[in-house]
Short mmCIF file of all heavy atoms in Angstrom, two decimals:
data_model
loop_
_atom_site.label_atom_id
_atom_site.label_comp_id
_atom_site.label_asym_id
_atom_site.label_seq_id
_atom_site.Cartn_x
_atom_site.Cartn_y
_atom_site.Cartn_z
N ILE A 141 -64.97 8.73 99.96
CA ILE A 141 -65.18 7.85 101.04
C ILE A 141 -66.60 8.16 101.65
O ILE A 141 -67.43 7.24 101.85
CB ILE A 141 -64.11 7.92 102.12
CG1 ILE A 141 -62.81 7.31 101.56
CG2 ILE A 141 -64.61 7.13 103.45
CD1 ILE A 141 -61.66 7.51 102.49
N GLY A 142 -66.87 9.43 101.86
CA GLY A 142 -68.23 9.76 102.35
C GLY A 142 -69.38 9.39 101.38
O GLY A 142 -70.40 8.88 101.86
N GLY A 143 -69.14 9.54 100.13
CA GLY A 143 -70.11 9.12 99.14
C GLY A 143 -70.38 7.65 99.19
O GLY A 143 -71.48 7.17 99.06
N VAL A 144 -69.27 6.88 99.30
CA VAL A 144 -69.48 5.37 99.28
C VAL A 144 -70.24 4.95 100.53
O VAL A 144 -71.09 4.15 100.46
CB VAL A 144 -68.03 4.68 99.22
CG1 VAL A 144 -68.14 3.22 99.57
CG2 VAL A 144 -67.43 4.90 97.89
N VAL A 145 -69.84 5.55 101.67
CA VAL A 145 -70.63 5.20 102.92
C VAL A 145 -72.07 5.57 102.83
O VAL A 145 -72.98 4.76 103.13
CB VAL A 145 -69.91 5.93 104.12
CG1 VAL A 145 -70.81 5.86 105.38
CG2 VAL A 145 -68.59 5.38 104.39
N LEU A 146 -72.39 6.73 102.27
CA LEU A 146 -73.77 7.17 102.08
C LEU A 146 -74.55 6.23 101.12
O LEU A 146 -75.66 5.86 101.32
CB LEU A 146 -73.88 8.62 101.62
CG LEU A 146 -73.56 9.60 102.70
CD1 LEU A 146 -73.58 11.03 102.07
CD2 LEU A 146 -74.54 9.59 103.79
N ALA A 147 -73.86 5.78 100.04
CA ALA A 147 -74.48 4.93 99.06
C ALA A 147 -74.75 3.56 99.73
O ALA A 147 -75.85 2.98 99.53
CB ALA A 147 -73.51 4.67 97.82
N LEU A 148 -73.78 2.99 100.56
CA LEU A 148 -74.05 1.76 101.23
C LEU A 148 -75.20 1.92 102.21
O LEU A 148 -75.99 0.95 102.32
CB LEU A 148 -72.74 1.27 101.89
CG LEU A 148 -71.68 0.87 100.99
CD1 LEU A 148 -70.42 0.55 101.75
CD2 LEU A 148 -72.08 -0.32 100.07
N VAL A 149 -75.26 2.93 102.94
CA VAL A 149 -76.35 3.25 103.88
C VAL A 149 -77.71 3.27 103.17
O VAL A 149 -78.68 2.63 103.54
CB VAL A 149 -76.14 4.44 104.75
CG1 VAL A 149 -77.40 4.86 105.53
CG2 VAL A 149 -74.97 4.23 105.70
N GLY A 150 -77.67 3.94 102.01
CA GLY A 150 -78.96 4.06 101.19
C GLY A 150 -79.41 2.64 100.71
O GLY A 150 -80.54 2.32 100.72
N ILE A 151 -78.43 1.85 100.24
CA ILE A 151 -78.72 0.51 99.70
C ILE A 151 -79.31 -0.38 100.87
O ILE A 151 -80.31 -1.08 100.74
CB ILE A 151 -77.53 -0.12 99.09
CG1 ILE A 151 -77.17 0.55 97.74
CG2 ILE A 151 -77.74 -1.66 98.94
CD1 ILE A 151 -75.90 0.17 97.20
N GLY A 152 -78.67 -0.24 102.05
CA GLY A 152 -79.14 -0.97 103.21
C GLY A 152 -80.53 -0.61 103.66
O GLY A 152 -81.44 -1.45 103.94
N LEU A 153 -80.76 0.67 103.67
CA LEU A 153 -82.13 1.15 103.99
C LEU A 153 -83.20 0.76 102.92
O LEU A 153 -84.27 0.41 103.26
CB LEU A 153 -82.12 2.73 104.20
CG LEU A 153 -81.42 3.20 105.42
CD1 LEU A 153 -81.34 4.67 105.42
CD2 LEU A 153 -82.06 2.74 106.68
N GLY A 154 -82.76 0.71 101.70
CA GLY A 154 -83.66 0.28 100.63
C GLY A 154 -84.02 -1.15 100.76
O GLY A 154 -85.23 -1.60 100.58
N ILE A 155 -83.08 -1.97 101.07
CA ILE A 155 -83.29 -3.42 101.28
C ILE A 155 -84.18 -3.62 102.45
O ILE A 155 -85.14 -4.45 102.44
CB ILE A 155 -81.99 -4.20 101.46
CG1 ILE A 155 -81.26 -4.18 100.09
CG2 ILE A 155 -82.16 -5.57 101.90
CD1 ILE A 155 -79.79 -4.69 100.20
N ALA A 156 -83.92 -2.88 103.57
CA ALA A 156 -84.73 -3.01 104.80
C ALA A 156 -86.23 -2.66 104.46
O ALA A 156 -87.17 -3.34 104.94
CB ALA A 156 -84.19 -2.22 105.90
N ALA A 157 -86.40 -1.63 103.73
CA ALA A 157 -87.79 -1.12 103.44
C ALA A 157 -88.53 -2.19 102.61
O ALA A 157 -89.66 -2.47 102.77
CB ALA A 157 -87.76 0.15 102.76
N PHE A 158 -87.76 -2.79 101.63
CA PHE A 158 -88.32 -3.83 100.81
C PHE A 158 -88.81 -4.99 101.60
O PHE A 158 -89.89 -5.56 101.42
CB PHE A 158 -87.39 -4.20 99.75
CG PHE A 158 -87.78 -5.32 98.87
CD1 PHE A 158 -88.71 -5.11 97.87
CD2 PHE A 158 -87.31 -6.65 98.99
CE1 PHE A 158 -89.13 -6.12 97.04
CE2 PHE A 158 -87.77 -7.68 98.18
CZ PHE A 158 -88.69 -7.39 97.18
N VAL A 159 -87.94 -5.46 102.57
CA VAL A 159 -88.28 -6.60 103.40
C VAL A 159 -89.48 -6.36 104.27
O VAL A 159 -90.28 -7.16 104.41
CB VAL A 159 -86.96 -6.98 104.21
CG1 VAL A 159 -87.31 -8.01 105.28
CG2 VAL A 159 -85.94 -7.56 103.29
N VAL A 160 -89.49 -5.17 104.86
CA VAL A 160 -90.64 -4.79 105.80
C VAL A 160 -91.91 -4.79 105.00
O VAL A 160 -92.92 -5.22 105.42
CB VAL A 160 -90.33 -3.45 106.46
CG1 VAL A 160 -91.60 -2.86 107.14
CG2 VAL A 160 -89.21 -3.57 107.48
N ARG A 161 -91.88 -4.23 103.82
CA ARG A 161 -93.17 -4.15 102.97
C ARG A 161 -93.63 -5.57 102.65
O ARG A 161 -94.77 -5.87 102.65
CB ARG A 161 -92.87 -3.41 101.71
CG ARG A 161 -92.91 -1.88 101.99
CD ARG A 161 -92.81 -1.16 100.66
NE ARG A 161 -93.64 0.06 100.85
CZ ARG A 161 -94.04 0.77 99.83
NH1 ARG A 161 -93.67 0.44 98.61
NH2 ARG A 161 -94.76 1.86 100.05
N ARG A 162 -92.70 -6.45 102.29
CA ARG A 162 -93.10 -7.82 101.90
C ARG A 162 -93.69 -8.53 103.08
O ARG A 162 -94.66 -9.27 102.99
CB ARG A 162 -91.92 -8.59 101.39
CG ARG A 162 -91.53 -8.14 99.97
CD ARG A 162 -90.65 -9.05 99.25
NE ARG A 162 -91.16 -10.41 99.36
CZ ARG A 162 -91.40 -11.18 98.28
NH1 ARG A 162 -91.23 -10.71 97.08
NH2 ARG A 162 -91.78 -12.45 98.47
N ARG A 163 -93.13 -8.32 104.29
CA ARG A 163 -93.64 -8.99 105.49
C ARG A 163 -95.04 -8.43 105.85
O ARG A 163 -95.92 -9.27 106.20
CB ARG A 163 -92.64 -8.77 106.71
CG ARG A 163 -91.50 -9.62 106.66
CD ARG A 163 -90.74 -9.63 107.94
NE ARG A 163 -89.56 -10.57 107.80
CZ ARG A 163 -88.67 -10.57 108.68
NH1 ARG A 163 -88.73 -9.82 109.77
NH2 ARG A 163 -87.60 -11.36 108.59
N LYS A 164 -95.21 -7.14 105.76
CA LYS A 164 -96.51 -6.53 105.99
C LYS A 164 -97.58 -7.12 104.95
O LYS A 164 -98.68 -7.38 105.40
CB LYS A 164 -96.46 -4.99 105.90
CG LYS A 164 -96.01 -4.29 107.12
CD LYS A 164 -96.20 -2.83 106.89
CE LYS A 164 -95.88 -2.16 108.27
NZ LYS A 164 -96.09 -0.61 108.08
N ALA A 165 -97.06 -7.20 103.74
CA ALA A 165 -98.06 -7.68 102.76
C ALA A 165 -98.42 -9.17 103.03
O ALA A 165 -99.60 -9.53 102.78
CB ALA A 165 -97.45 -7.62 101.32
N ALA A 166 -97.52 -9.92 103.48
CA ALA A 166 -97.80 -11.32 103.81
C ALA A 166 -98.75 -11.53 105.00
O ALA A 166 -99.59 -12.28 105.02
CB ALA A 166 -96.45 -12.10 104.06
N LEU A 167 -98.56 -10.54 105.99
CA LEU A 167 -99.50 -10.59 107.14
C LEU A 167 -100.87 -10.15 106.89
O LEU A 167 -101.83 -10.56 107.48
CB LEU A 167 -98.78 -9.84 108.24
CG LEU A 167 -97.55 -10.43 108.86
CD1 LEU A 167 -96.94 -9.40 109.92
CD2 LEU A 167 -97.84 -11.73 109.48
N VAL A 168 -101.05 -9.22 105.95
CA VAL A 168 -102.35 -8.64 105.62
C VAL A 168 -103.08 -9.38 104.60
O VAL A 168 -104.27 -9.31 104.49
CB VAL A 168 -102.15 -7.18 105.18
CG1 VAL A 168 -103.41 -6.52 104.75
CG2 VAL A 168 -101.51 -6.37 106.29
N ALA A 169 -102.43 -10.22 103.85
CA ALA A 169 -102.98 -10.96 102.78
C ALA A 169 -104.20 -11.83 103.25
O ALA A 169 -104.10 -12.43 104.34
CB ALA A 169 -102.02 -11.84 102.09
N PRO A 170 -105.27 -11.85 102.54
CA PRO A 170 -106.48 -12.63 102.98
C PRO A 170 -106.12 -14.14 102.82
O PRO A 170 -105.57 -14.58 101.90
CB PRO A 170 -107.55 -12.24 101.97
CG PRO A 170 -106.87 -11.68 100.81
CD PRO A 170 -105.57 -11.14 101.32
N TRP A 171 -106.47 -14.87 103.87
CA TRP A 171 -106.28 -16.27 103.87
C TRP A 171 -107.53 -16.99 103.43
O TRP A 171 -108.72 -16.50 103.74
CB TRP A 171 -105.93 -16.78 105.30
CG TRP A 171 -104.58 -16.10 105.73
CD1 TRP A 171 -104.54 -15.10 106.58
CD2 TRP A 171 -103.34 -16.51 105.43
NE1 TRP A 171 -103.29 -14.76 106.78
CE2 TRP A 171 -102.54 -15.58 106.09
CE3 TRP A 171 -102.75 -17.42 104.53
CZ2 TRP A 171 -101.08 -15.70 105.91
CZ3 TRP A 171 -101.35 -17.47 104.45
CH2 TRP A 171 -100.52 -16.53 105.10
N PRO A 172 -107.43 -18.09 102.73
CA PRO A 172 -108.66 -18.85 102.37
C PRO A 172 -109.37 -19.31 103.69
O PRO A 172 -108.76 -19.89 104.54
CB PRO A 172 -108.18 -20.00 101.57
CG PRO A 172 -106.71 -19.88 101.48
CD PRO A 172 -106.21 -18.71 102.31
N VAL A 173 -110.64 -18.92 103.71
CA VAL A 173 -111.43 -19.35 104.93
C VAL A 173 -112.34 -20.46 104.49
O VAL A 173 -113.10 -20.40 103.45
CB VAL A 173 -112.25 -18.13 105.39
CG1 VAL A 173 -113.09 -18.52 106.55
CG2 VAL A 173 -111.23 -17.00 105.70
N GLN A 174 -112.37 -21.50 105.23
CA GLN A 174 -113.24 -22.65 104.98
C GLN A 174 -114.55 -22.50 105.62
O GLN A 174 -114.58 -22.22 106.84
CB GLN A 174 -112.57 -23.94 105.33
CG GLN A 174 -111.45 -24.24 104.44
CD GLN A 174 -110.90 -25.66 104.71
OE1 GLN A 174 -111.44 -26.39 105.53
NE2 GLN A 174 -109.88 -26.02 103.94
N GLN A 175 -115.59 -22.61 104.95
CA GLN A 175 -116.95 -22.49 105.61
C GLN A 175 -117.46 -23.81 105.88
O GLN A 175 -117.39 -24.73 105.11
CB GLN A 175 -117.88 -21.77 104.58
CG GLN A 175 -117.31 -20.44 104.09
CD GLN A 175 -118.02 -19.32 104.77
OE1 GLN A 175 -119.13 -19.43 105.22
NE2 GLN A 175 -117.32 -18.15 104.79
N GLY A 176 -118.07 -23.91 106.91
CA GLY A 176 -118.71 -25.19 107.03
C GLY A 176 -118.97 -25.71 108.27
O GLY A 176 -119.33 -26.19 109.10
#
């Protein structure tokens, strides 16, 4: 039971880290700037 709980917590933290990284990448990405 302890192993299953730890595995689920690890999966949840992994998903959270993935989502946070994608959001950071989207915010930092260069946007096309129009000159003129």
Side-chain angles (χ1 to χ4, degrees):
I141 291 171
V144 168
V145 168
L146 287 175
L148 292 173
V149 168
I151 290 169
L153 290 174
I155 291 170
F158 178 76
V159 169
V160 168
R161 282 185 144 195
R162 285 196 51 124
R163 283 193 180 168
K164 273 188 178 179
L167 292 174
V168 176
W171 299 100
V173 179
Q174 291 189 0
Q175 303 256 338

